Amino acid sequence: MRILIWHVHGSWTTAFVQGPHTYVVPVTPDRGPDGLGRARTWDWPGSVVEVPPERLRDEEIDVVVLQRPHELALVDRWLGRRPPLVYLEHNAPHGDVPDTRHPAADLPGVTLVHVTHFNRLMWDAGPAPSTVIEHGIVDPGYLWTGELDRAAVAVNEPLRRGRTTGTDLLPAFAEAAPLDVFGMGTQGLAGHLGVPADRCRSHELTQAALHKAMARRRVYVHPVRWTSLGLSLLEAMHLGMPIVALATTEVTEAVPPGGGVVSNRIEELTDAVRNFVADPMHARMVGEGARAAALARYGLTRFLDDWERLLKEVAR
């Protein structure tokens, strides 16, 4: 099939485009939000092709994967027709939860796909047929060394997103172990939190360098209060890192007891960080459990098989 999809979520799309289809990605001269084109920081196969909006009317498109409310208007304007539609929802709802109405709830002929069962439960999808296809990860391999007695955190724009991503909890974790916070918009985080610079270092790395850097840290901390299941968490599990995470959204499903410590008690979480940092052998054993669980549930083959079944059904 030829599938039209916008480059919105680079990590998720990297897994999606590993399938057997041709993936048509809009590209504009400014490479703005509606025309980013191919990824520059992820490894995408040659089956991902860039097409300018003015040429899309001439493209044979079998299925459109929408990810943002305004993309349907772009389909009408750029294609002049509506192929079979899938609306992929990456996020948990914001606003009047659990009564938040999904933008695709009243769109005729649209199949709504959630990335977690928690998200499906929380969104009001109205009459729209909805399903769940859980994340899949391109396996980076077992890279954990834990040679640095520090904790890794991966979050984009922690200053702007604040309590949503648990930024206010980082000082407590920084007392338990020095932190390395990876992600966009992390510069100046230690000063903002009033934490000594060595206890909270900021790093903005390319995707290629990120996994190796994270895997050198002893433990992965996931302080997120309210968001969809973070791909960075699943990537850390694939790397073989032990996990310390809040028991919110889908985390309790993703991280089994043998893969880390999941709780809403901050003292229990900070104690877990201290224990992992102090005991590298224990950290290794738990990290191996996290990796085994991630491969079993969030492997790429299962993810692509699930999408293959849905795409064939929608295209028919």
Side-chain angles (χ1 to χ4, degrees):
M1 285 184 270
R2 293 178 65 83
I3 300 169
L4 175 64
I5 184 169
W6 277 262
H7 176 186
V8 173
H9 192 307
S11 294
W12 182 90
T13 309
T14 297
F16 183 67
V17 299
Q18 306 302 315
H21 308 291
T22 297
Y23 305 90
V24 177
V25 180
V27 61
T28 55
D30 64 349
R31 293 190 177 269
D34 291 332
L36 279 174
R38 285 178 57 92
R40 303 300 179 88
T41 56
W42 284 272
D43 185 17
W44 286 5
S47 55
V48 182
V49 296
E50 296 180 339
V51 177
E54 62 271 16
R55 284 177 37 205
L56 281 172
R57 284 178 181 263
D58 300 325
E59 293 287 325
E60 293 185 9
I61 301 297
D62 297 297
V63 176
V64 178
V65 178
L66 306 170
Q67 299 170 82
R68 298 168 296 176
H70 73 278
E71 289 177 353
L72 185 58
L74 296 179
V75 169
D76 292 342
R77 187 163 74 248
W78 292 354
L79 272 68
R81 64 191 185 282
R82 288 189 181 181
L85 302 171
V86 172
Y87 194 113
L88 170 66
E89 178 54 66
H90 292 283
N91 300 313
H94 288 276
D96 190 15
V97 180
D99 297 318
T100 309
R101 188 81 162 178
H102 195 276
D106 301 299
L107 295 179
V110 175
T111 299
L112 178 58
V113 180
H114 296 283
V115 297
T116 72
H117 293 276
F118 179 87
N119 290 0
R120 183 185 188 184
L121 181 69
M122 287 300 179
W123 278 107
D124 174 8
S130 61
T131 188
V132 176
I133 297 182
E134 294 187 318
H135 286 301
I137 300 292
V138 178
D139 183 15
Y142 180 77
L143 300 180
W144 182 87
T145 65
E147 63 200 79
L148 301 179
D149 54 357
R150 301 177 66 89
V153 179
V155 60
N156 288 326
E157 300 186 69
L159 298 177
R160 178 181 65 82
R161 298 168 72 191
R163 287 178 57 83
T164 297
T165 53
T167 305
D168 59 302
L169 303 177
L170 294 180
F173 285 111
E175 288 186 9
L179 305 180
D180 286 299
V181 183
F182 300 91
M184 296 182 294
T186 57
Q187 295 303 318
L189 181 59
H192 175 82
L193 297 174
V195 173
D198 186 59
R199 304 293 293 189
C200 184
R201 296 174 179 166
S202 298
H203 306 267
E204 294 192 28
L205 303 179
T206 64
Q207 189 72 8
L210 176 62
H211 290 153
K212 289 183 179 179
M214 284 175 51
R216 296 181 64 206
R217 277 67 189 176
R218 189 74 46 83
V219 58
Y220 181 80
V221 173
H222 192 67
V224 178
R225 279 192 178 89
W226 183 261
T227 187
S228 193
L229 182 60
L231 284 172
S232 58
L233 170 66
L234 301 182
E235 290 169 352
M237 293 173 68
H238 274 77
L239 293 171
M241 302 186 73
I243 305 299
V244 172
L246 296 185
T248 56
T249 63
E250 192 86 349
V251 173
T252 56
E253 290 274 338
V255 183
V261 176
V262 177
S263 175
N264 288 326
R265 300 184 181 189
I266 301 304
E267 295 79 8
E268 184 173 340
L269 296 176
T270 52
D271 284 347
V273 170
R274 291 187 182 93
N275 291 338
F276 283 128
V277 168
D279 190 344
M281 292 302 295
H282 177 56
R284 175 184 293 276
M285 180 183 67
V286 175
E288 289 173 351
R291 174 170 167 79
L295 288 172
R297 182 159 184 171
Y298 300 103
L300 188 63
T301 299
R302 189 275 310 156
F303 171 79
L304 293 175
D305 286 348
D306 287 352
W307 270 104
E308 191 69 9
R309 283 190 291 270
L310 178 72
L311 290 168
K312 287 180 178 178
E313 179 181 335
V314 170
R316 282 200 297 266

